[in-house]
Amino acid sequence: MSRAEVPSRRTMLRGALAAGALTAAPGVAHAAEGRAPYRNPLVEQRADPHITRHTDGRYYFTASVPEYDRIILRSSRTLRGLSTARESVIWTRHTTGDMAAHIWAPELHRIDGKWYVYFAAAPADDVWKIRIWVLENANPDPSRGTWTEKGQLATAWDTFSLDAHTFTHRGDRYLAWAQYEPGLDNNTGLFLSRMAGPLTLTGPQIRLSTPEYAWECVGFKVNEGPAVIKRNGRVFMTYSASATDANYCMGLLTADSRSDLMDPRSWAKSPEPVFAGSEESGQYGPGHNSFTVAEDGRTDVLVYHARPYKEITGDPLHDPNRHTRVQPFGWRADGTPDFGVPVRS
């Protein structure tokens, strides 16, 4: 999600990348030749989208709502179907105490036979004391059963933290997240730790990235919203940078799949954003992405939010029109992802 502008974030970027290998007609992202296109936005007024395709063949969707007060879930057998799928509320904020404000960026993951939702929340009496919290559901269907609060996921520092993303690699489970590191002049950097289980970090917690380039520091100095995809012998971690207005954009970290992911030297940081707003397509502030796969089981799909306008009155976090969008993407000859630019609505 976007940290509610805690300590500082940049200027509009145009064409940080050349148009990708996949092209799209206005308002349509083509999943694969001969397949029905995706129409954008996929879901309106849903930010920080996370879509996972489960082994049951269904897509599950969750995201931040403009009120920042609940966690929602949709499911469908197709990506397009998420647009009109029934939306259920699986958890609602507390009215007092912990988990009462800024319910942000939920992610749904299936781990060891149970479902988990990682999300950010703050207490009612200190709404910027944002931390990572976890829900658990043992039912095979995440839209059924009971969601149980499992408490705060503790990190090395008790500081502003959010955007937990878990993934596995070579038999180990990892958590990547955004956090403020004491003593640094930024809002959030990206961190990585192994996990002893879905609720516990183990071993060292390393910093992978901190805002350093101009495009990461407009309005607020932010690295957040990590998401991992593994292809072509490498581990790619996208993240979002700068303020949550039109300056929001995506960066990229890359590691060799054979390297020690817990060694910061294993990760290379791209010096330019890999996905940014486009004057031509009229989409601005794309970011906080996740990855899924098209119905063909092969085509990689980028899931992200963006606004269809640049100018915002007041705090961008109070502007509700960050819409969930999807578009297929390809891979360059050197094995790196080519996200192109946000497609037109």
Side-chain angles (χ1 to χ4, degrees):
M1 160 90 212
S2 249
R3 76 275 71 280
E5 339 283 0
V6 130
S8 186
R9 286 188 194 216
R10 113 182 167 221
T11 38
M12 186 62 206
L13 290 160
R14 293 185 198 173
L17 285 180
L22 295 168
T23 58
V28 175
H30 291 277
E33 188 174 354
R35 295 195 63 83
Y38 304 126
R39 294 204 170 270
N40 281 300
L42 183 72
V43 185
E44 293 189 352
Q45 296 194 343
R46 294 292 179 265
D48 315 318
H50 186 261
I51 297 177
T52 183
R53 193 185 194 198
H54 187 43
T55 54
D56 63 3
R58 298 191 69 84
Y59 290 95
Y60 293 95
F61 166 85
T62 189
S64 301
V65 302
E67 298 82 6
Y68 305 142
D69 64 352
R70 63 195 185 276
I71 296 176
I72 57 89
L73 184 67
R74 299 185 184 199
S75 71
S76 171
R77 291 218 167 265
T78 65
L79 278 170
R80 289 188 65 167
L82 291 172
S83 291
T84 55
R86 183 181 67 87
E87 184 171 284
S88 61
V89 176
I90 62 171
W91 182 86
T92 303
R93 72 174 183 90
H94 295 186
T95 55
T96 60
D98 290 329
M99 295 183 284
H102 288 145
I103 310 305
W104 283 349
E107 284 201 6
L108 176 72
H109 294 273
R110 181 76 169 174
I111 305 173
D112 299 334
K114 295 181 180 180
W115 290 100
Y116 292 88
V117 170
Y118 297 86
F119 66 103
D125 60 354
D126 192 352
V127 299
W128 297 116
K129 188 180 178 181
I130 293 170
R131 304 293 187 267
I132 298 166
W133 299 82
V134 188
L135 305 176
E136 179 187 80
N137 187 345
N139 195 292
D141 182 346
S143 63
R144 301 179 182 274
T146 301
W147 285 95
T148 304
E149 297 173 0
K150 304 304 288 186
Q152 182 180 336
L153 195 152
T155 60
W157 309 297
D158 185 27
T159 61
F160 186 90
S161 51
L162 68 170
D163 295 352
H165 173 74
T166 184
F167 66 98
T168 59
H169 184 61
R170 300 176 70 180
D172 288 332
R173 178 165 293 280
Y174 295 85
L175 189 82
W177 73 98
Q179 185 160 14
Y180 170 69
E181 180 177 351
L184 291 191
D185 179 25
N186 66 17
N187 296 81
T188 53
L190 296 178
F191 294 85
L192 185 69
S193 176
R194 284 190 175 91
M195 302 187 80
L199 306 172
T200 309
L201 304 183
T202 186
Q205 300 175 28
I206 64 163
R207 185 206 317 140
L208 295 183
S209 176
T210 189
E212 55 189 306
Y213 296 114
W215 55 270
E216 299 178 291
C217 300
V218 181
F220 290 87
K221 298 177 180 179
V222 168
N223 286 174
E224 65 180 12
V228 166
I229 187 169
K230 298 185 289 182
R231 294 288 186 276
N232 307 320
R234 276 167 277 189
V235 180
F236 299 98
M237 182 182 293
T238 53
Y239 64 94
S240 297
S242 284
T244 56
D245 55 17
N247 296 293
Y248 209 50
C249 62
M250 283 167 45
L252 182 69
L253 304 176
T254 305
D256 189 291
S257 63
R258 298 163 297 180
S259 67
D260 177 7
L261 299 189
M262 291 301 297
D263 183 346
R265 296 171 297 182
S266 296
W267 295 88
K269 184 175 184 176
S270 297
E272 299 291 338
V274 293
F275 197 60
S278 168
E279 296 278 3
E280 182 178 356
S281 67
Q283 300 300 319
Y284 303 98
H288 203 117
N289 76 287
S290 59
F291 296 105
T292 191
V293 66
E295 291 84 349
D296 62 10
R298 301 186 308 273
T299 305
D300 291 312
V301 176
L302 178 67
V303 183
Y304 64 98
H305 71 235
R307 288 188 181 92
Y309 49 82
K310 183 188 296 186
E311 301 303 324
I312 298 170
T313 301
D315 189 335
L317 285 174
H318 298 154
D319 180 289
N321 293 316
R322 290 183 293 176
H323 304 321
T324 293
R325 301 167 59 82
V326 294
Q327 61 191 71
F329 66 95
W331 299 86
R332 298 185 180 87
D334 65 0
T336 59
D338 188 349
F339 299 122
V341 298
V343 295
R344 292 180 184 272
S345 288

